[in-house]
Amino acid sequence: MMEVPRVGHSVSSPTSPCEDMMKNLSLDAIQLCEREGNKSLDSGIAEMEELPVPQNIKISNITCDSFKICWDMDSKSKERITHYFIDLNKKENKNANKFKHKDVPTKLVAKAVPLPMTVRGHWFLSPRTEYTVAVQTASKQGDGDYAVSEWSEIIEFCTGDYSTVHLTQLLEKAEVIAGRMLRFSVFYRNQHKEYFDHVREAQNNKMLLSVKDNSGSHGSPISGKLEGIFFSSNTEFNTGKPPQDSPYGRYRFQLPAEELFSPKTNLYFADFYCMYTAYHYVILVIAPKGSSGDEFCKQRLPALDIANNRFMTCSEDEDGRLVFHHAQDLILEVIYTDPVDLSLGTVAEISGHQLMSQSTVNAKKDPSCKTCNISVGR
């Protein structure tokens, strides 16, 4: 159990002042203190002879919600050290909305355990986020006050993506609401007429790969990294055909499902999210076996059995023909990781509307939704 510094003299933080408030949270021998405003958290710290200042700080073993930290120290007065104070802050974003609430900085108070020390906590670490960190040593006095060293240099680091463990948690949450399976027979991709004209004239009739945008979960390992082509597979339950409306353009490329999805491909689960609405989205990746996209996904995403999963399946009927099904209660976003030739299908104008409000381009996930969030940041 960690102890809380008692009120006394003030020592400022290297990056920002902190409020006279600390939460008594215990995790890996670390306490968490949230601070804001101009009040001093360190008002429980006394002045006395100098303690060694941490040098050569090193950050390692970084995940989406943890990291290891170690440093060098002068042996002088080292035996007097009882605690470490770690000042952790999200790196300032100069382009951030100035009207948005500022992120609350965090101070960690840890007993002087052997280094390296693991810092872990989803309530103050988010995936794919840049942080600054500084450290000082402290010695707790008999009256409850602390003597402290000067702050160390400030180090920057960035947290990692969701691991397959975290993605499996998302997968299991998505399975709960997937609903029954409906049959489908085509994949389709909507775009503007100019897009398809460009494919024919400048790309030798082939739709080429582009990098996945930042829509969905903030910790998704495919955002900004995986290259592919976006397709849809959802159908209207009453017709069994693709809807005539689309948020992405009035022209639709449509091709038989077996051209993209077959026993020659692997299927991966990539994300589960919503955008402050009742609709939930699942991102799946189809990758031809042995392709570069397949190798990328094998290292980062949970693989699905193409014939037996709750989202999208490919199986054989009694006559040996491939049949396809998709989950009724999820909107599936399918990424195919190889170029696709327009000759494999047809391009035609849809009769419905272009529903821009339903676009998921760079859409941000609702961090408050209990259905599609897990406790490792958003």
Side-chain angles (χ1 to χ4, degrees):
M1 173 69 75
M2 301 304 303
E3 300 175 50
V4 180
R6 206 179 66 185
V7 176
H9 301 288
S10 173
V11 175
S12 63
S13 159
T15 50
S16 59
C18 46
E19 189 174 312
D20 183 17
M21 167 180 158
M22 178 168 288
K23 296 179 179 178
N24 188 18
L25 300 175
S26 178
L27 185 62
D28 290 331
I30 291 175
Q31 276 188 332
L32 177 145
C33 162
E34 294 181 349
R35 60 226 170 75
E36 192 175 28
N38 296 318
K39 297 179 181 179
S40 175
L41 165 80
D42 300 317
S43 56
I45 299 173
E47 297 174 358
M48 60 177 298
E49 62 182 282
E50 291 184 0
L51 290 168
V53 179
Q55 306 286 341
N56 302 320
I57 296 175
K58 296 181 177 64
I59 305 292
S60 62
N61 295 79
I62 300 170
T63 72
C64 65
D65 63 350
S66 70
F67 62 91
K68 284 188 176 181
I69 184 170
C70 65
W71 55 83
D72 300 329
M73 283 185 295
D74 192 315
S75 58
K76 176 185 176 183
S77 301
K78 190 174 180 179
E79 69 281 352
R80 291 180 40 239
I81 298 171
T82 62
H83 291 78
Y84 303 132
F85 291 179
I86 301 174
D87 192 79
L88 182 70
N89 295 276
K90 285 187 178 180
K91 190 176 177 182
E92 289 186 13
N93 181 0
K94 295 181 180 179
N95 298 321
N97 185 342
K98 66 180 180 180
F99 298 107
K100 183 181 178 182
H101 290 297
K102 290 184 177 180
D103 291 310
V104 178
T106 298
K107 169 163 284 187
L108 307 172
V109 181
K111 284 186 176 178
V113 297
L115 301 175
M117 177 173 59
T118 298
V119 178
R120 185 189 311 277
H122 68 263
W123 54 85
F124 57 82
L125 285 172
S126 297
R128 285 192 170 201
T129 303
E130 292 184 323
Y131 289 92
T132 62
V133 64
V135 185
Q136 64 181 176
T137 58
S139 177
K140 188 173 184 181
Q141 309 303 296
D143 60 2
D145 285 346
Y146 284 79
V148 297
S149 71
E150 295 293 327
W151 284 102
S152 71
E153 63 179 328
I154 297 173
I155 299 297
E156 299 179 359
F157 71 99
C158 184
T159 47
D161 300 330
Y162 284 165
S163 69
T164 53
V165 172
H166 302 124
L167 289 171
T168 299
Q169 294 175 20
L170 279 178
L171 183 158
E172 291 169 350
K173 291 177 78 75
E175 287 178 331
V176 173
I177 68 163
R180 67 190 182 100
M181 302 293 282
L182 300 178
R183 191 160 177 170
F184 76 100
S185 60
V186 298
F187 287 104
Y188 54 95
R189 171 176 173 82
N190 277 72
Q191 279 287 348
H192 300 286
K193 181 177 182 297
E194 292 76 15
Y195 168 84
F196 293 111
D197 289 343
H198 181 75
V199 169
R200 295 186 186 97
E201 296 165 7
Q203 297 176 186
N204 197 27
N205 217 44
K206 286 188 176 181
M207 293 187 291
L208 303 181
L209 311 184
S210 58
V211 177
K212 162 75 171 62
D213 67 9
N214 290 316
S215 60
S217 299
H218 189 54
S220 171
I222 67 171
S223 293
K225 295 181 180 180
L226 178 66
E227 293 187 335
I229 305 171
F230 168 83
F231 285 92
S232 297
S233 64
N234 288 80
T235 58
E236 295 179 323
F237 72 92
N238 57 333
T239 66
K241 297 180 180 180
Q244 281 300 307
D245 299 321
S246 172
Y248 303 109
R250 293 193 54 79
Y251 284 79
R252 173 174 294 168
F253 171 68
Q254 183 172 296
L255 77 169
E258 57 266 27
E259 295 290 350
L260 303 185
F261 192 28
S262 74
K264 296 179 181 179
T265 59
N266 283 323
L267 180 67
Y268 298 92
F269 174 90
D271 203 1
F272 177 43
Y273 72 101
C274 70
M275 303 182 299
Y276 302 89
T277 68
Y279 301 109
H280 276 86
Y281 298 79
V282 160
I283 299 177
L284 301 175
V285 180
I286 299 176
K289 291 181 178 180
S291 65
S292 58
D294 191 34
E295 293 304 313
F296 176 96
C297 294
K298 277 183 181 178
Q299 301 173 30
R300 297 169 176 84
L301 305 179
L304 298 173
D305 182 341
I306 67 168
N308 184 23
N309 68 79
R310 296 296 308 278
F311 309 116
M312 188 173 71
T313 62
C314 167
S315 57
E316 290 188 1
D317 63 14
E318 295 178 353
D319 299 323
R321 291 175 298 188
L322 296 179
V323 292
F324 305 90
H325 293 83
H326 70 83
Q328 174 182 348
D329 296 336
L330 294 166
I331 299 176
L332 300 183
E333 298 182 312
V334 180
I335 297 174
Y336 187 72
T337 63
D338 269 9
V340 176
D341 198 300
L342 291 183
S343 65
L344 296 175
T346 59
V347 176
E349 187 173 4
I350 59 173
S351 60
H353 302 285
Q354 185 174 343
L355 305 175
M356 296 300 295
S357 62
Q358 293 182 11
S359 171
T360 62
V361 175
N362 288 314
K364 300 306 178 185
K365 181 174 184 175
D366 178 2
S368 65
C369 178
K370 294 180 179 180
T371 300
C372 62
N373 279 295
I374 54 177
S375 57
V376 286
R378 303 293 180 254

